[in-house]
Amino acid sequence: KDWRELETGKTLQLDVAKRSYQQFDLAKVEAAVEIILSSKCVEHKVWESKEVKMGQNDRVLLPLLHKVLEPKDIWRVYQAQISSENQVSKSSFYKILRLLTAEENYGLSSSESPLHTQLYEPMRNLLRMVVGHVRAEALEGYLQYLDTMVLFLREVYPSHLVQDDECATHSINHALGLAEEKKIME
């Protein structure tokens, strides 16, 4: 159709795509980030990380932050501490919050969670002891051991808690000696 109109001498009306630019006030964004990163809003898990996209090709591993409060409550904290003329919009705030924190439910990440009390807190104590008492030249190796232990306990260990499994390392009954006790009683 356009070609035929050009042949007849008509000029074409071109639709120009409009482009938009995101503009933001750096001070407002920094204030939002400061509130989000406060200990009353998020907590840091020592051995967890999140891959964040920084541009088209760059990705960076950052410590994973878990929300201690619901997102709406973090927004209320932000509103209470920052004057309205120095705030980012609500949608921008939630976008920043999503970028900085974990996707998972905030309720599972409180400091009372079993994962926190049974794994992360003891590992933090071990980390403090290792850093405080291990020679500098051997420190890196010990830190790698700690990382391996946490990874095993968090990701692999639950699969070893099967009630009845022929493999001795996967059976909780075998580990507690209940399998042998059962055989003796039969």
Side-chain angles (χ1 to χ4, degrees):
K1 176 182 172 188
D2 292 339
W3 181 254
R4 289 186 190 142
E5 288 181 10
L6 282 174
E7 285 180 337
T8 62
K10 289 185 178 178
T11 57
L12 294 176
Q13 290 287 16
L14 298 176
D15 292 329
V16 178
K18 295 182 180 177
R19 301 189 188 261
S20 65
Y21 295 95
Q22 284 186 312
Q23 294 182 345
F24 58 90
D25 183 345
L26 185 59
K28 290 180 181 181
V29 172
E30 287 175 347
V33 169
E34 187 175 337
I35 297 296
I36 291 168
L37 295 181
S38 68
S39 60
K40 62 181 146 191
C41 296
V42 296
E43 67 179 9
H44 170 249
K45 299 294 188 186
V46 178
W47 281 276
E48 292 183 279
S49 59
K50 177 180 182 177
E51 190 175 89
V52 177
K53 189 175 179 181
M54 306 283 284
Q56 283 190 308
N57 299 322
D58 296 330
R59 295 185 184 278
V60 177
L61 277 178
L62 296 176
L64 187 61
L65 301 171
H66 292 274
K67 297 178 221 44
V68 175
L69 302 173
E70 291 186 43
K72 66 180 179 179
D73 294 328
I74 297 174
W75 168 251
R76 288 186 188 129
V77 168
Y78 175 68
Q79 285 181 307
Q81 292 187 14
I82 306 295
S83 61
S84 59
E85 63 272 358
N86 292 325
Q87 291 180 3
V88 296
S89 68
K90 190 174 186 177
S91 62
S92 295
F93 182 83
Y94 282 117
K95 186 174 183 179
I96 295 167
L97 184 62
R98 274 192 313 274
L99 287 171
L100 292 176
T101 59
E103 298 290 328
E104 71 183 37
N105 186 349
Y106 48 84
L108 298 175
S109 62
S110 69
S111 61
E112 293 82 29
S113 73
L115 194 61
H116 178 82
T117 57
Q118 296 171 10
L119 178 61
Y120 294 123
E121 197 55 40
M123 293 310 284
R124 283 186 187 130
N125 293 335
L126 272 173
L127 179 66
R128 282 188 213 110
M129 288 189 300
V130 166
V131 169
H133 300 289
V134 173
R135 294 183 327 263
E137 58 271 6
L139 186 60
E140 186 62 33
Y142 280 98
L143 294 177
Q144 287 177 352
Y145 291 143
L146 287 176
D147 286 343
T148 303
M149 284 190 323
V150 169
L151 182 65
F152 173 80
L153 291 171
R154 189 180 66 216
E155 304 295 331
V156 180
Y157 182 70
S159 71
H160 290 267
L161 297 178
V162 178
Q163 185 78 24
D164 292 304
D165 194 317
E166 291 178 16
C167 178
T169 61
H170 292 178
S171 174
I172 191 70
N173 287 336
H174 181 78
L176 297 175
L178 299 176
E180 298 302 319
E181 198 174 293
K182 188 177 177 182
K183 285 180 185 176
I184 293 171
M185 297 186 82
E186 290 176 349

